[in-house]
Amino acid sequence: MTGILVVVVLLVVFAVGYFISVNNTEIRLRNLVKAQQEVCEANFDKMWKVIKQITNVSDTYLNAFKEIYPKLIEGRYQGKDISFIVEHNPPLDTSVLQQLATAIEINREEFFSHQRLLVARHNEHKTFIQSFPANILLPNAKEIKITVIKSDHTADVYATGKENI
């Protein structure tokens, strides 16, 4: 009788311990998904701040160039024979535009990596709560809603199944 009681107590302890483990795993996965969603939001915010900062510098540079350039060449040669003069006007520095293009590419790739990780973690959580025995032990566990950023163009292509470029 004592042996059976020990076995029953051990089974109960094992079952409770296993339930706690399954519950903690679901909580860990849920929190990973939520944290990754926040990382995506923060990264998207950083991406737009970097692009905005560079374009503001670019706008400032272009506006200054537009303001200065006409004054540099205005009225230089009025009434003079200028057929032998070769102009050396300041060139427009396109390095800011190259910097912008590079920043956009790097930041978009970084954002995509974070989005890909979010989708993978979401899938891991969803698979866990739908799989046995978690689906029995955690019947109230719900799938987490995530936001994957995509363009209207992408949504339209997937809705219609056609891409007409």
Side-chain angles (χ1 to χ4, degrees):
M1 181 72 174
T2 306
I4 294 176
L5 185 60
V6 169
V7 170
V8 169
V9 168
L10 285 176
L11 286 175
V12 168
V13 168
F14 175 75
V16 169
Y18 189 72
F19 174 76
I20 290 170
S21 174
V22 167
N23 191 55
N24 287 344
T25 299
E26 192 276 333
I27 290 169
R28 182 184 59 79
L29 292 172
R30 178 176 295 279
N31 288 339
L32 276 172
V33 171
K34 288 179 179 180
Q36 189 61 38
Q37 182 74 64
E38 289 178 21
V39 167
C40 288
E41 291 173 18
N43 185 262
F44 191 83
D45 185 57
K46 178 199 74 106
M47 176 180 64
W48 279 107
K49 285 177 181 173
V50 166
I51 292 169
K52 183 69 174 159
Q53 185 177 13
I54 292 172
T55 57
N56 189 28
V57 169
S58 178
D59 290 346
T60 302
Y61 175 80
L62 289 173
N63 289 337
F65 192 84
K66 280 193 258 180
E67 191 173 310
I68 294 169
Y69 192 79
K71 292 176 184 173
L72 288 173
I73 61 172
E74 175 180 279
R76 280 197 211 166
Y77 308 114
Q78 289 179 351
K80 299 177 183 172
D81 180 16
I82 59 171
S83 60
F84 62 90
I85 296 175
V86 177
E87 289 269 342
H88 290 289
N89 294 313
L92 175 62
D93 183 9
T94 59
S95 66
V96 174
L97 299 177
Q98 181 59 44
Q99 180 187 7
L100 176 61
T102 302
I104 289 170
E105 182 179 349
I106 290 169
N107 280 278
R108 297 289 293 179
E109 186 60 37
E110 181 183 10
F111 181 69
F112 175 70
S113 294
H114 287 298
Q115 289 276 108
R116 184 175 42 222
L117 183 57
L118 173 65
V119 170
R121 287 185 170 166
H122 176 259
N123 184 54
E124 184 180 0
H125 176 264
K126 185 170 80 171
T127 301
F128 179 77
I129 64 172
Q130 291 175 350
S131 298
F132 180 81
N135 62 348
I136 293 171
L137 296 174
L138 305 171
N140 295 326
K142 303 287 185 222
E143 183 180 337
I144 303 167
K145 290 276 192 191
I146 63 169
T147 302
V148 177
I149 305 298
K150 56 188 166 216
S151 66
D152 287 340
H153 174 73
T154 301
D156 292 344
V157 167
Y158 272 81
T160 64
K162 297 178 183 178
E163 181 184 30
N164 300 317
I165 296 178

